[in-house]
Amino acid sequence: MAEVAAGSPTLRVCALYPDLMNIYADRGNLLMLARRCEWRGLGFAVMAAGLGEGVDPDAHDLFYLGGGQDRDQRLCALDLVRTKSEALHAAADRGALLLGVCGGYQLLGHRYALAGEEIPGLGLVELETIRSDGPRLIGNVAIEVELDGPDGGRRVLAGFENHAGHTHLAAGEQPLGRVLKGHGNTGSSGLEGVRRRNVVGTYLHGPLLPKNAWFADWLIATALGLDALDPLDDTFEDAAHAEARRAAGV
Ligand code: GLN
């Protein structure tokens, strides 16, 4: 493991339900953050918060909630609302980053409605998800996003999606990006994900960050409040990104 340079900040991550909400190798997203911090001499610390465990809103710079099957999602949703909702709202209010991927993204909203049942969400953003009886939205996907701050500008995120839920953003809520190829939130809205300030949700798996190193860096810099990060040799990461774009046809 690389040394942490003296005086360097530490990215403090809280992984929510890493054992239950982790389909499509969500763990790779955490590893990506860890490595890119370590390679730059930045500190990295990850703490898991599972069922029944509270979280400290002030102890983490980034909260991560990955994807899950409906069954695991139901279990985590009830626990999230019961034991972590207040802390996560406080964390979002003070500017910590919250990243939800797929099932985790759905739980950032108000509800995930399945036949005859409603799974509650955190209500951090104004959206709801409705499980469709139609075909699942599956495939390679690429979206165009425009982010402010470090390494911002117009960029492409590429990944893979697989969800039965269709996510509807309320009026005024902004998507993370516009669909270039793939389905996105509903298969027809042309919108993908959500972003309200530091709360970000997306359907992109892959896992997301190894295929989009620039976005991992955006998260690190934003979470730590840094203007810029030291450049890395991204030969392999650029190839992974190019391949994900190629797979999506962009
Ligand atoms: N269970 C949710 C759905 O099918 C989320 C799936 C996922 O996280 N891949 O919509």
Side-chain angles (χ1 to χ4, degrees):
M1 195 190 277
E3 291 281 307
V4 176
S8 285
T10 291
L11 181 70
R12 302 164 308 160
V13 175
C14 178
L16 297 160
Y17 315 104
D19 49 341
L20 292 168
M21 299 291 280
N22 65 1
I23 52 174
Y24 289 108
D26 283 302
R27 226 154 36 107
N29 287 331
L30 298 174
L31 273 173
M32 184 78 175
L33 294 171
R35 294 294 178 272
R36 293 184 79 76
C37 284
E38 286 165 12
W39 290 337
R40 294 182 166 108
L42 298 170
F44 180 85
V46 62
M47 218 190 84
L51 293 174
E53 293 171 340
V55 293
D56 178 347
D58 299 316
H60 310 282
D61 310 299
L62 193 159
F63 292 81
Y64 179 76
L65 185 54
Q69 311 283 3
D70 290 350
R71 185 178 40 113
D72 296 328
Q73 225 179 323
R74 179 179 295 116
L75 208 62
C76 295
L78 298 175
D79 186 78
L80 261 180
V81 170
R82 244 180 248 139
T83 67
K84 300 176 181 59
S85 178
E86 207 176 307
L88 292 175
H89 276 267
D93 287 348
R94 73 163 181 83
L97 266 178
L98 272 83
L99 174 63
V101 173
C102 202
Y105 161 38
Q106 296 170 342
L107 297 184
L108 299 178
H110 285 290
R111 65 191 68 82
Y112 175 29
L114 301 96
E117 184 193 356
E118 228 175 61
I119 295 178
L122 289 163
L124 284 163
V125 275
E126 296 300 314
L127 62 85
E128 65 173 8
T129 300
I130 298 167
R131 191 181 215 281
S132 137
D133 289 335
R136 295 181 69 83
L137 304 181
I138 303 179
N140 294 300
V141 51
I143 66 172
E144 184 177 69
V145 305
E146 201 162 354
L147 298 172
D148 46 306
D151 206 15
R154 203 171 283 184
R155 307 286 295 260
V156 171
L157 278 178
F160 183 80
E161 61 184 324
N162 181 354
H163 50 109
H166 291 204
T167 296
H168 304 272
L169 306 185
E173 202 66 271
Q174 296 301 314
L176 175 61
R178 310 227 153 236
V179 176
L180 298 172
K181 280 285 165 65
H183 302 290
N185 283 345
T186 65
S188 59
S189 66
L191 309 178
E192 205 293 315
V194 70
R195 173 161 181 238
R196 191 199 292 181
R197 219 163 59 97
N198 44 325
V199 179
V200 179
T202 178
Y203 273 116
L204 271 64
H205 282 294
L208 169 72
L209 300 183
K211 289 184 174 179
N212 300 281
W214 73 266
F215 189 58
D217 285 354
W218 182 84
L219 292 170
I220 295 169
T222 304
L224 291 178
L226 300 173
D227 290 332
L229 296 176
D230 293 341
L232 296 172
D233 173 0
D234 277 336
T235 310
F236 291 120
E237 290 78 1
D238 290 346
H241 182 69
E243 177 54 26
R245 288 174 71 138
R246 192 201 57 73
V250 172

